[in-house]
Structures are given as structure tokens and as C-alpha cells.
Amino acid sequence: MTQIYLDDTLVNLQEEYDKTKIQDVIDELEQELIGLKPVKTRIKEIAALLLIDRLRNKLDLVSGNPGLHMSFTGSPGTGKTTVAMKMADILHRLGYIRKGHLMTVTRDDLVGQYIGHTAPKTKEVLKQAMGGVLFIDEAYYLYKPDNERDYGAEAIEILLQVMENQRDDLVVIFAGYKNKMDKFYESNPGLSSRVTNHVDFPDYTAEELLKIAKLMLEEQQYKFALNADKVLLEYAEKRMQQPHFANARSIRNAIDRARMRQANRIFISGDKILTKSDLVTIESEDIRKSRLFTKEV
């Protein structure tokens, strides 16, 4: 158990850590998300920095005033929204935000269609997000330099002001594909300078996608028949090579279609007496009938 001495002041680090209960959130991250080791490591590092900053404030030490605004980059279906929810919980438990809620928006929620429309839309979103975390998905769509009549720049300007002047009451997380987000920040240096925590979410491996599929089935009280998991692994490997691959989202869609084929297979079985096993088992054929095995995406 670590103890920190400063003159006559004694701080028990473990007690402070336990008091915030952020380990509960970190444990949830480990349990609920397959893989993503670099992401989990980065979140732990941010949590550690914020905890030490909190202790320094308690001892009246100069605080680095850590920047809280973040950038989550990666492909769809890699857990960015889920991690943002956990990050909001951590920030709330450490006292950096009042409410701890997460508000998810896109360009359509912020940018208006005509003059005078964007400012009230953006300000209303910010009002609802205050005290929590504002998660802007596909944030690069806010900036369209090729369109002189686009109002995204106005929304960005309002965001910049709030991120600077009300940073004690709102944390903003920008999210999207890494290459597009890099260009987005290059085009908006004022924005880039205010985003200090960058977290890159890697694509899942086929083996990780199989684990995710098994968790999804378990949650819905289904299971794979013998060798069906190998067919799902083959599906994942093929799907990863196709356009518009969305990691866990694509696997969820595959599971939903397999359930539909299973239901249809049972339905057309006629007068067969069904067992519980029939109702909960996904067979290899339920996956292999996917059009992906015959050039279906």
C-alpha cells in the first residue's frame, strides 16, 4: 500500500484509489470488451494521471491542469462509444465532471441548414451535455472546406469556445476513422491544440471476433453446434476482406442473420418435435448459407 508524505501530511494512495471506485470501471472494461489491449492501457494511464492530479490538488501542489478533451480513432465497431461511456464514468468518479452522462451526436445534431440555424442547434446540444461528456461521432464531417455555404465551421467555432472557457464542466470526445480525423485536425489547428488525449482503436482479429460472437450468443441464450464456431471464424476472415467491414458490428449482423436462418430451418422442419437444444443451437449451415460464402457481403 503506497503512502505519500509531504511535510506533516500523509496520503494513502490505495485508500484514495478505493474511494473513487475507478477500479470497478476498469474491471468492467476488461470483462465487457474483448482485446483492445492498447486502448485499455491508455485508459488506465489517463485514469492514473487524473488520480495523481486529484491528490496534488488536495495537497495544494501545483497541478498540471490535465487536458481532458479526447480523440478516439478507429474503424466502426471497435468499441469507441462503449469506452467513452466508461471514460465518462471515470471522470465523474474522480470529480472532473458533475453528472457523468454521455451524449452522442453527429454533424446533423450540430450543423444547421441555413443562416442562423447552426448556433442555436449547437448551443442546445452543449447545454444538454454540460456536466458530462459530449461524444461527436464521425467528427470530420463537421468540416467541409470545399463547400463555401457549409455551416460546419460555425459549429466548430462554438465548440472551441466552450472547450476552452467551460472545460471544467464539459469534456468533448471526437471520434472517427484515423486518417480522416488526422486531416480534420490538420485543418483545425485550434481544435487540435485543445485535444490532448489521443486513443487509437485497432481492428479486431478474426479470433477476437469469434470470442465476441460467442459472447453475443451467450447473452441471447444461444450456442454454437460442434464445428459451427470454425465456420464463424472462416466467415470473419472472409468478411474482414470485404468493403464496409465494421468489426463487432459486422459480427453482430452475421449472428442476427444466422438466428434468422436457424428459425427458418426449424419452421420448415414440419411436424418435428422440438427440443430445447433445437431452439438454442446455431448449426454450421446457419452460418455457411451466408451469401458471403457465395460472394455475399
Side-chain angles (χ1 to χ4, degrees):
M1 189 173 292
T2 305
Q3 295 179 325
I4 301 174
Y5 291 90
L6 181 67
D7 297 330
D8 296 326
T9 304
L10 175 66
V11 177
N12 188 305
L13 182 58
Q14 188 63 52
E15 286 182 3
E16 289 294 325
Y17 187 77
D18 292 341
K19 192 185 301 181
T20 64
K21 296 183 179 180
I22 57 175
Q23 185 61 49
D24 294 346
V25 185
I26 292 172
D27 289 343
E28 289 172 6
L29 266 179
E30 291 289 352
Q31 295 165 8
E32 296 176 14
L33 290 177
I34 299 295
L36 298 179
K37 184 175 180 180
V39 173
K40 294 172 181 176
T41 299
R42 188 77 177 96
I43 296 304
K44 291 175 185 176
E45 290 172 348
I46 294 172
L49 174 64
L50 297 180
L51 178 63
I52 295 302
D53 181 71
R54 168 186 161 121
L55 292 176
R56 289 177 63 88
N57 281 330
K58 282 191 173 185
L59 298 176
D60 295 324
L61 290 170
V62 174
S63 169
N65 194 17
L68 300 178
H69 303 306
M70 304 178 191
S71 175
F72 286 3
T73 54
S75 303
T78 48
K80 294 188 293 295
T81 305
T82 300
V83 173
M85 291 175 63
K86 301 302 182 188
M87 194 69 243
D89 199 358
I90 289 173
L91 291 169
H92 177 56
R93 294 183 186 216
L94 286 172
Y96 284 93
I97 51 179
R98 290 181 292 113
K99 299 179 181 178
H101 67 293
L102 179 79
M103 184 173 183
T104 302
V105 298
T106 62
R107 172 191 163 89
D108 290 343
D109 299 298
L110 299 168
V111 181
Q113 302 298 315
Y114 50 84
I115 294 175
H117 190 205
T118 295
K121 284 189 73 170
T122 302
K123 289 177 181 178
E124 178 59 29
V125 166
L126 290 168
K127 179 181 177 182
Q128 295 178 37
M130 281 299 166
V133 173
L134 177 63
F135 183 86
I136 306 177
D137 200 12
E138 297 182 313
Y140 37 76
Y141 285 130
L142 287 175
Y143 186 66
K144 294 184 177 181
D146 54 333
N147 186 349
E148 295 181 359
R149 300 184 64 183
D150 184 71
Y151 305 111
E154 184 180 357
I156 292 174
E157 187 60 35
I158 296 171
L159 283 169
L160 284 172
Q161 293 174 9
V162 172
M163 288 169 67
E164 181 64 27
N165 300 330
Q166 295 177 263
R167 56 189 174 187
D168 292 335
D169 203 28
L170 179 70
V171 173
V172 180
I173 299 178
F174 298 93
Y177 286 104
K178 181 169 174 51
N179 59 338
K180 293 184 178 181
M181 290 302 294
D182 288 344
K183 292 180 181 178
F184 175 62
Y185 292 128
E186 287 175 8
S187 303
N188 298 274
L191 193 61
S192 179
S193 66
R194 288 170 174 79
V195 178
T196 55
N197 296 294
H198 292 260
V199 184
D200 189 32
F201 288 65
D203 287 334
Y204 289 109
T205 65
E207 290 74 16
E208 288 171 340
L209 290 172
L210 175 58
K211 291 180 181 179
I212 290 171
K214 289 181 176 179
L215 282 177
M216 290 177 177
L217 286 178
E218 185 178 336
E219 288 172 358
Q220 300 176 56
Q221 295 186 304
Y222 283 85
K223 65 179 181 179
F224 282 130
L226 188 65
N227 295 324
D229 55 345
K230 295 180 181 178
V231 179
L232 194 283
L233 181 63
E234 183 183 352
Y235 174 91
E237 291 170 343
K238 289 177 177 290
R239 184 65 184 87
M240 290 169 69
Q241 307 304 316
Q242 300 294 319
H244 312 300
F245 170 62
N247 288 279
R249 203 172 301 166
S250 291
I251 291 301
R252 180 175 293 281
N253 291 339
I255 292 298
D256 288 344
R257 289 193 291 266
R259 289 176 54 237
M260 189 178 299
R261 294 189 195 96
Q262 182 240 31
N264 187 59
R265 172 171 53 78
I266 292 173
F267 181 75
I268 64 177
S269 63
D271 296 331
K272 175 184 176 182
I273 297 176
L274 300 176
T275 66
K276 180 179 179 181
S277 179
D278 292 323
L279 297 175
V280 303
T281 304
I282 300 295
E283 301 284 349
S284 297
E285 62 182 287
D286 300 326
I287 304 167
R288 195 168 287 284
K289 284 185 177 179
S290 164
R291 286 176 313 203
L292 180 60
F293 287 98
T294 57
K295 283 298 186 183
E296 174 191 352
V297 174

